[in-house]
Every structure is written in structure tokens, then in C-alpha cells.
Amino acid sequence: MTEQELYKSCTLCPRKCSIDRTVTKGYCNEKSELHVSRAALHMWEEPCISGEHGSGTVFFSGCNMGCVFCQNKEISRGEVGKVITTERLVEIFFELQDKGANNINLVTGDIFIPTIKTAIEIAKNRNIKIPFLLNTSSYIEVGTLKMLDGLIDIYLPDFKYIREQDAVRYSKAKGYVDVARAAIDEMVRQHPRCEFGADNGKENLIKKGVVVRHLLMPGMLIQAKMIVKYLYDKYGDNIFISLMNQYTPNGQLQDYPEIDRKVSERDYKSLIEYAASIGVVNGYMQVGETAKESFIPSFDCSGV
């Protein structure tokens, strides 16, 4: 199918809303036109991704999740951003490379995969030098991921939930657990192990592989441990596991009082200790005060 045909009755994500996105918006709040809210160097990813020079992040507007705790609602709802062409996206890739980016980090690009695929193919044909990374919620179809085989070098998926009831309550994402498991399986199939390299003789940056993130949420320590165990039992040291403590209430959680607070230091320490106790070595943890708004970039169309 052509790029536009894939949007005409859209089934790119598990929602399978079948809406003609060339005409109207899908569940994701976006049409088929590329809608981008920011393109800039980002210093707050994992050390192997941001390094000293930063990750070249491209923030796409719209989202197929429905997280009640979303920190980026202005872009996830498609309220801000700029419509651009495929050719402009390719130009952005090279502009980020020229600024010293370690990689091209496609944030929430899931809903634009057919167009992103075309843009990456053009960039690689023009000999772009840095890896491409897909930063995703993992609520994505395996068939959609297969379109990126050989194009995406690094996958940075979330594994948000391993309990279906939580996925439905907090993200309105029916079937998330099975979908995310299958998606991460496909990512690891494409990149069975992580490969690193140093561009400047100092930094050990990831060049290929899968880094799975989990954001610890209030009252969900047991679930977090279950996720770590699942990932380590299945993939061992072939992936990296990034455990995050930056959950920040967004001021709109009156109907969800159980998650209307920050994560305790005690719970996060317990999660890190558990990961170490079962043998996790390839992992990342966060230190310092990460649960604050200053870690959220300004979606002002910079670099777009």
C-alpha cells in the first residue's frame, strides 16, 4: 500500500479507528499531515542517548494513548505544532545532525510512521551519518513496526503497565499489555542486542538496540517489579532497562486521587534494589530532583 493509502482507513495503531486521516482526525487527534511541535537538542535522555552533545529530538503532535497524567497534553491533543512536509522533516534531520546531535530521536512518531519511513529512506539515501531512534509508548502494531525494519537503529519503548486494568483506567488503552509485549518482541527481533560506539573517543553511545523504559507511578511498586522481572527473564542482558522516577501530577487528577502525588524515594529505591537483586546490570536509574516541570521542554515550534 502507498503512504496515503495507509492513512485512508487508518489501522496503524491498536485503536484501528479506520478513519480516513487524509480528510479528518483519527483517535490520535491528527490527520495524515505531519504535525511537529519542536525539534531541538535534548539533554535529558539516558546517558547513552543524549551524551554530551544531546539527542536530536523531533516532537510530533498527537497521540493514540489517553493517559490521564499526561505531561504534554498540549501536543498529545494536537493543540500545538506546525504542519510540515516530508521534505522539511528531512531537512530537520540534517539540521539536527549539523548541530552535533548524537541521533535523531522521533518522539511519539507512531501515528505518522508511513511518512516517517519515507523521510528516513530519503535521509539515508543522502548519507545521513547518525542513527535513528523511535521513542514510543509501545501501543503500536507489530505490522507498523515491521515497516521500520532496517530504518530505525534504536528503539526506546515504554512498558507502562503489566496489569490490564491499570492500562484501561489510566491510559484508556485496552489491550495495552499484550500489544506492548508483542511490540517490544518485534523491536528486539530487529535488534537482538545493543551495540555501542564512541564518536569522539570519549562517549560510549548506543548505535543499535533496545532500551525499555518504565516510569514508576504512585502505589504501583509491585507492578514495576513485575515489569522488571518480565523484561529481564525474557531478554536478559540483550536490552537495557531504564527505571524512571520523574512522575509528576499534572493538576488534573481529582478523579484519580491514588496517583495525585509524586513517587516516594523509598519506593524508587526499593525498585532499584530489586532490579539489582535479580541480576539486572544493563540499566539506568535517575538521580536528583527529576519530578519537576523544568524537565518538560517548551513546545513552541522551535527548530520546525
Side-chain angles (χ1 to χ4, degrees):
M1 295 177 71
T2 67
E3 180 182 311
Q4 287 303 299
E5 286 173 340
L6 288 166
Y7 290 121
K8 277 189 172 293
S9 181
C10 190
T11 57
L12 292 170
C13 90
R15 303 281 182 191
K16 297 188 182 299
C17 64
S18 299
I19 288 173
D20 184 351
R21 287 176 53 203
T22 65
V23 176
T24 189
K25 294 180 178 181
Y27 182 95
C28 57
N29 296 310
E30 292 294 338
K31 292 184 179 180
S32 58
E33 300 169 305
L34 286 173
H35 197 194
V36 179
S37 60
R38 180 179 174 84
L41 296 179
H42 192 54
M43 305 303 300
W44 303 329
E45 306 288 33
E46 286 74 5
C48 68
I49 294 171
S50 284
E52 294 179 4
H53 301 289
S55 178
T57 50
V58 181
F59 288 90
F60 294 88
S61 298
C63 183
N64 68 339
M65 296 285 280
C67 302
V68 298
F69 51 87
C70 181
Q71 298 296 297
N72 304 332
K73 282 190 175 180
E74 57 184 338
I75 64 168
S76 65
R77 291 174 175 171
E79 296 171 355
V80 299
K82 182 178 179 181
V83 173
I84 64 171
T85 64
T86 304
E87 181 58 34
R88 175 58 191 145
L89 181 60
V90 175
E91 291 174 356
I92 289 171
F93 294 162
F94 282 95
E95 287 168 7
L96 290 169
Q97 177 176 257
D98 290 345
K99 290 177 181 178
N102 296 317
N103 45 64
I104 301 296
N105 186 342
L106 306 163
V107 184
T108 321
D110 308 29
I111 58 179
F112 297 111
I113 291 299
T115 315
I116 287 172
K117 175 180 183 291
T118 300
I120 296 175
E121 288 172 338
I122 294 171
K124 292 204 171 193
N125 284 336
R126 294 180 186 173
N127 297 317
I128 196 165
K129 303 300 183 185
I130 55 179
F132 282 88
L133 181 156
L134 185 69
N135 189 329
T136 171
S137 68
S138 298
Y139 200 46
I140 185 170
E141 290 287 287
V142 167
T144 303
L145 286 169
K146 285 181 182 294
M147 295 168 59
L148 298 172
D149 195 356
L151 297 174
I152 291 295
D153 304 288
I154 304 157
Y155 284 103
L156 185 60
D158 291 335
F159 195 167
K160 294 180 181 291
Y161 311 101
I162 204 166
R163 295 190 300 222
E164 176 72 7
Q165 64 268 33
D166 291 335
V168 172
R169 176 165 172 76
Y170 302 118
S171 294
K172 301 177 179 63
K174 183 178 180 182
Y176 177 86
V177 178
D178 289 341
V179 167
R181 282 172 165 163
I184 294 170
D185 261 355
E186 171 60 20
M187 296 173 199
V188 177
R189 183 196 69 77
Q190 292 182 25
H191 296 296
R193 62 192 58 82
C194 294
E195 299 176 16
F196 292 80
D199 289 337
N200 55 15
K202 298 178 181 178
E203 296 183 272
N204 199 30
L205 302 171
I206 188 167
K207 300 298 183 181
K208 290 184 183 295
V210 180
V211 179
V212 184
R213 286 175 165 174
H214 176 66
L215 174 65
L216 177 62
M217 293 177 61
M220 299 191 191
L221 176 59
I222 292 175
Q223 174 164 223
K225 290 179 178 179
M226 291 169 64
I227 286 172
V228 171
K229 180 168 174 49
Y230 168 79
L231 291 171
Y232 191 65
D233 283 352
K234 180 141 194 179
Y235 305 113
D237 296 327
N238 292 323
I239 67 168
F240 274 67
I241 301 174
S242 180
L243 300 175
M244 307 167 74
N245 69 345
Q246 66 190 50
Y247 176 85
T248 307
N250 60 10
Q252 301 177 33
L253 296 171
Q254 295 83 358
D255 295 333
Y256 307 89
E258 70 276 17
I259 61 169
D260 195 13
R261 60 182 174 85
K262 294 182 180 180
V263 169
S264 72
E265 290 184 14
R266 179 178 178 180
D267 278 2
Y268 187 61
K269 181 181 179 183
S270 177
L271 177 59
I272 298 301
E273 290 176 346
Y274 174 76
S277 74
I278 65 171
V280 176
V281 175
N282 292 344
Y284 294 101
M285 60 180 285
Q286 292 182 315
V287 296
E289 181 60 38
T290 59
K292 56 185 180 181
E293 292 183 1
S294 63
F295 278 75
I296 302 170
S298 175
F299 301 114
D300 55 4
C301 293
S302 296
V304 181

